[in-house]
Each structure stands twice: as structure tokens, then as C-alpha cells.
Amino acid sequence: MPKMPKVATRMALRCAVVGVIACLLGCKAVLPQPICPHITPWSAAFQQQAAAELRQNLNLVALPEIARQDVVLRDQVRACQKGG
């Protein structure tokens, strides 16, 4: 196989580099979009009923903790849905 002259080798290398750069400049970074869960809003009447039931049963331990965690999760879902 005959040797390529140095000028031709440099030219081929430059073309390859320009081609790679052109490909890279044409590519866009794909940013993943978060998938936010759907929450069903509670009516004001239901929230008032739940609060009254919790206040009436002072010996409850688990249910108030579940309610607190649910509030945090709902806030996180709302933030996710707003994109923040």
C-alpha cells in the first residue's frame, strides 16, 4: 500500500476533526423530565373532618404521623409539578 504524503495525511486528519466537531455541535443534550405523581386534592370539608377526628382522639400516634408525612409528600408533588 503506498504511503500518503504528509500534506494529504494532515488534510484527512483536519477533515476528520472538523467532521467530529460538526457532529458534536449538532447534538443537543437531552435533559430528562421528571415524572411527577398525581395527587387528588382533598375538599376543605374533608380536611376539617380529619383534623377534628385527630383532635378528638388524643391517644393516636400513628395516624397523626401519617398525616404529617402526607402533607410533606403532597408539598413535594406540587413542587415537582411546578418544575421546581
Side-chain angles (χ1 to χ4, degrees):
M1 185 166 168
K3 264 182 132 180
M4 289 178 62
K6 285 186 177 184
V7 174
T9 303
R10 283 191 210 133
M11 184 60 97
L13 183 59
R14 285 182 185 162
C15 288
V17 169
V18 168
V20 168
I21 291 173
C23 286
L24 290 175
L25 291 176
C27 295
K28 290 184 180 180
V30 177
L31 298 176
Q33 296 296 320
I35 299 173
C36 304
H38 177 74
I39 55 171
T40 303
W42 293 330
S43 68
F46 179 77
Q47 292 179 56
Q48 290 169 355
Q49 178 185 348
E53 289 176 8
L54 288 172
R55 281 193 298 270
Q56 289 171 0
N57 297 294
L58 299 177
N59 294 329
L60 296 176
V61 176
L63 288 179
E65 180 59 27
I66 290 170
R68 280 190 286 278
Q69 289 182 18
D70 187 70
V71 168
V72 171
L73 291 173
R74 285 175 173 265
D75 289 344
Q76 291 171 346
V77 169
R78 285 187 198 99
C80 177
Q81 291 170 343
K82 290 180 182 177

mmCIF file of all heavy atoms in Angstrom, residues 60-78:
data_model
loop_
_atom_site.group_PDB
_atom_site.id
_atom_site.type_symbol
_atom_site.label_atom_id
_atom_site.label_comp_id
_atom_site.label_asym_id
_atom_site.label_seq_id
_atom_site.Cartn_x
_atom_site.Cartn_y
_atom_site.Cartn_z
ATOM 1 N N LEU A 60 -54.016 8.754 69.697
ATOM 2 C CA LEU A 60 -53.494 8.300 68.406
ATOM 3 C C LEU A 60 -52.035 8.705 68.262
ATOM 4 O O LEU A 60 -51.644 9.814 68.627
ATOM 5 C CB LEU A 60 -54.306 8.896 67.259
ATOM 6 C CG LEU A 60 -55.772 8.482 67.176
ATOM 7 C CD1 LEU A 60 -56.454 9.237 66.042
ATOM 8 C CD2 LEU A 60 -55.886 6.985 66.957
ATOM 9 N N VAL A 61 -51.229 7.796 67.735
ATOM 10 C CA VAL A 61 -49.817 8.092 67.496
ATOM 11 C C VAL A 61 -49.492 7.943 66.013
ATOM 12 O O VAL A 61 -48.895 8.829 65.394
ATOM 13 C CB VAL A 61 -48.910 7.162 68.339
ATOM 14 C CG1 VAL A 61 -47.448 7.415 68.022
ATOM 15 C CG2 VAL A 61 -49.181 7.354 69.819
ATOM 16 N N ALA A 62 -49.890 6.830 65.442
ATOM 17 C CA ALA A 62 -49.516 6.532 64.054
ATOM 18 C C ALA A 62 -50.231 7.436 63.050
ATOM 19 O O ALA A 62 -49.610 7.950 62.111
ATOM 20 C CB ALA A 62 -49.807 5.067 63.733
ATOM 21 N N LEU A 63 -51.527 7.633 63.218
ATOM 22 C CA LEU A 63 -52.283 8.414 62.229
ATOM 23 C C LEU A 63 -51.815 9.866 62.123
ATOM 24 O O LEU A 63 -51.697 10.383 61.009
ATOM 25 C CB LEU A 63 -53.780 8.333 62.513
ATOM 26 C CG LEU A 63 -54.412 6.979 62.191
ATOM 27 C CD1 LEU A 63 -55.889 6.975 62.533
ATOM 28 C CD2 LEU A 63 -54.201 6.620 60.733
ATOM 29 N N PRO A 64 -51.540 10.563 63.238
ATOM 30 C CA PRO A 64 -51.011 11.924 63.080
ATOM 31 C C PRO A 64 -49.672 11.957 62.330
ATOM 32 O O PRO A 64 -49.417 12.864 61.540
ATOM 33 C CB PRO A 64 -50.852 12.424 64.523
ATOM 34 C CG PRO A 64 -51.827 11.619 65.299
ATOM 35 C CD PRO A 64 -51.842 10.272 64.634
ATOM 36 N N GLU A 65 -48.825 10.945 62.561
ATOM 37 C CA GLU A 65 -47.541 10.890 61.849
ATOM 38 C C GLU A 65 -47.769 10.645 60.356
ATOM 39 O O GLU A 65 -47.110 11.251 59.508
ATOM 40 C CB GLU A 65 -46.639 9.802 62.436
ATOM 41 C CG GLU A 65 -45.294 9.679 61.750
ATOM 42 C CD GLU A 65 -44.468 10.957 61.780
ATOM 43 O OE1 GLU A 65 -44.620 11.785 62.687
ATOM 44 O OE2 GLU A 65 -43.636 11.120 60.856
ATOM 45 N N ILE A 66 -48.706 9.770 60.031
ATOM 46 C CA ILE A 66 -49.039 9.529 58.622
ATOM 47 C C ILE A 66 -49.541 10.822 57.982
ATOM 48 O O ILE A 66 -49.161 11.158 56.853
ATOM 49 C CB ILE A 66 -50.095 8.404 58.509
ATOM 50 C CG1 ILE A 66 -49.464 7.063 58.881
ATOM 51 C CG2 ILE A 66 -50.699 8.345 57.105
ATOM 52 C CD1 ILE A 66 -50.468 5.929 59.029
ATOM 53 N N ALA A 67 -50.370 11.560 58.701
ATOM 54 C CA ALA A 67 -50.897 12.826 58.168
ATOM 55 C C ALA A 67 -49.768 13.822 57.933
ATOM 56 O O ALA A 67 -49.728 14.507 56.897
ATOM 57 C CB ALA A 67 -51.931 13.401 59.131
ATOM 58 N N ARG A 68 -48.823 13.920 58.872
ATOM 59 C CA ARG A 68 -47.690 14.850 58.699
ATOM 60 C C ARG A 68 -46.853 14.474 57.478
ATOM 61 O O ARG A 68 -46.464 15.336 56.693
ATOM 62 C CB ARG A 68 -46.811 14.855 59.951
ATOM 63 C CG ARG A 68 -47.351 15.716 61.082
ATOM 64 C CD ARG A 68 -46.324 15.869 62.202
ATOM 65 N NE ARG A 68 -46.190 14.650 63.012
ATOM 66 C CZ ARG A 68 -47.008 14.316 64.003
ATOM 67 N NH1 ARG A 68 -48.013 15.105 64.314
ATOM 68 N NH2 ARG A 68 -46.818 13.216 64.687
ATOM 69 N N GLN A 69 -46.581 13.187 57.331
ATOM 70 C CA GLN A 69 -45.779 12.747 56.185
ATOM 71 C C GLN A 69 -46.520 12.975 54.878
ATOM 72 O O GLN A 69 -45.920 13.316 53.856
ATOM 73 C CB GLN A 69 -45.390 11.283 56.343
ATOM 74 C CG GLN A 69 -44.367 11.059 57.435
ATOM 75 C CD GLN A 69 -43.946 9.608 57.545
ATOM 76 O OE1 GLN A 69 -44.135 8.813 56.635
ATOM 77 N NE2 GLN A 69 -43.372 9.251 58.681
ATOM 78 N N ASP A 70 -47.839 12.803 54.889
ATOM 79 C CA ASP A 70 -48.622 13.019 53.681
ATOM 80 C C ASP A 70 -48.567 14.483 53.251
ATOM 81 O O ASP A 70 -48.481 14.786 52.059
ATOM 82 C CB ASP A 70 -50.066 12.577 53.897
ATOM 83 C CG ASP A 70 -50.862 12.641 52.608
ATOM 84 O OD1 ASP A 70 -50.595 11.809 51.712
ATOM 85 O OD2 ASP A 70 -51.733 13.532 52.488
ATOM 86 N N VAL A 71 -48.598 15.385 54.215
ATOM 87 C CA VAL A 71 -48.506 16.812 53.893
ATOM 88 C C VAL A 71 -47.177 17.100 53.201
ATOM 89 O O VAL A 71 -47.124 17.815 52.187
ATOM 90 C CB VAL A 71 -48.669 17.674 55.172
ATOM 91 C CG1 VAL A 71 -48.297 19.124 54.916
ATOM 92 C CG2 VAL A 71 -50.091 17.576 55.689
ATOM 93 N N VAL A 72 -46.103 16.533 53.721
ATOM 94 C CA VAL A 72 -44.779 16.743 53.122
ATOM 95 C C VAL A 72 -44.745 16.175 51.697
ATOM 96 O O VAL A 72 -44.267 16.837 50.768
ATOM 97 C CB VAL A 72 -43.675 16.094 53.993
ATOM 98 C CG1 VAL A 72 -42.335 16.114 53.285
ATOM 99 C CG2 VAL A 72 -43.581 16.793 55.330
ATOM 100 N N LEU A 73 -45.269 14.966 51.523
ATOM 101 C CA LEU A 73 -45.276 14.360 50.188
ATOM 102 C C LEU A 73 -46.106 15.171 49.206
ATOM 103 O O LEU A 73 -45.711 15.361 48.051
ATOM 104 C CB LEU A 73 -45.800 12.920 50.268
ATOM 105 C CG LEU A 73 -44.888 11.927 50.964
ATOM 106 C CD1 LEU A 73 -45.587 10.584 51.131
ATOM 107 C CD2 LEU A 73 -43.590 11.754 50.194
ATOM 108 N N ARG A 74 -47.246 15.661 49.645
ATOM 109 C CA ARG A 74 -48.087 16.479 48.760
ATOM 110 C C ARG A 74 -47.369 17.775 48.381
ATOM 111 O O ARG A 74 -47.455 18.224 47.239
ATOM 112 C CB ARG A 74 -49.435 16.767 49.428
ATOM 113 C CG ARG A 74 -50.349 15.560 49.415
ATOM 114 C CD ARG A 74 -51.648 15.808 50.183
ATOM 115 N NE ARG A 74 -52.537 14.677 49.999
ATOM 116 C CZ ARG A 74 -53.485 14.622 49.065
ATOM 117 N NH1 ARG A 74 -53.679 15.636 48.271
ATOM 118 N NH2 ARG A 74 -54.237 13.555 48.944
ATOM 119 N N ASP A 75 -46.656 18.378 49.322
ATOM 120 C CA ASP A 75 -45.873 19.579 49.006
ATOM 121 C C ASP A 75 -44.789 19.263 47.977
ATOM 122 O O ASP A 75 -44.539 20.051 47.058
ATOM 123 C CB ASP A 75 -45.241 20.163 50.268
ATOM 124 C CG ASP A 75 -46.261 20.806 51.205
ATOM 125 O OD1 ASP A 75 -47.406 21.072 50.759
ATOM 126 O OD2 ASP A 75 -45.914 21.030 52.382
ATOM 127 N N GLN A 76 -44.143 18.117 48.115
ATOM 128 C CA GLN A 76 -43.104 17.725 47.163
ATOM 129 C C GLN A 76 -43.690 17.478 45.773
ATOM 130 O O GLN A 76 -43.089 17.858 44.765
ATOM 131 C CB GLN A 76 -42.373 16.476 47.661
ATOM 132 C CG GLN A 76 -41.520 16.732 48.873
ATOM 133 C CD GLN A 76 -40.973 15.456 49.497
ATOM 134 O OE1 GLN A 76 -41.422 14.353 49.200
ATOM 135 N NE2 GLN A 76 -39.999 15.605 50.387
ATOM 136 N N VAL A 77 -44.855 16.861 45.709
ATOM 137 C CA VAL A 77 -45.509 16.624 44.414
ATOM 138 C C VAL A 77 -45.876 17.950 43.763
ATOM 139 O O VAL A 77 -45.656 18.144 42.563
ATOM 140 C CB VAL A 77 -46.747 15.709 44.567
ATOM 141 C CG1 VAL A 77 -47.565 15.675 43.297
ATOM 142 C CG2 VAL A 77 -46.320 14.307 44.955
ATOM 143 N N ARG A 78 -46.420 18.865 44.542
ATOM 144 C CA ARG A 78 -46.767 20.181 43.977
ATOM 145 C C ARG A 78 -45.527 20.881 43.434
ATOM 146 O O ARG A 78 -45.564 21.495 42.361
ATOM 147 C CB ARG A 78 -47.450 21.039 45.034
ATOM 148 C CG ARG A 78 -48.876 20.625 45.301
ATOM 149 C CD ARG A 78 -49.578 21.620 46.248
ATOM 150 N NE ARG A 78 -50.756 20.993 46.801
ATOM 151 C CZ ARG A 78 -50.838 20.427 48.003
ATOM 152 N NH1 ARG A 78 -49.784 20.431 48.805
ATOM 153 N NH2 ARG A 78 -51.949 19.869 48.412
#
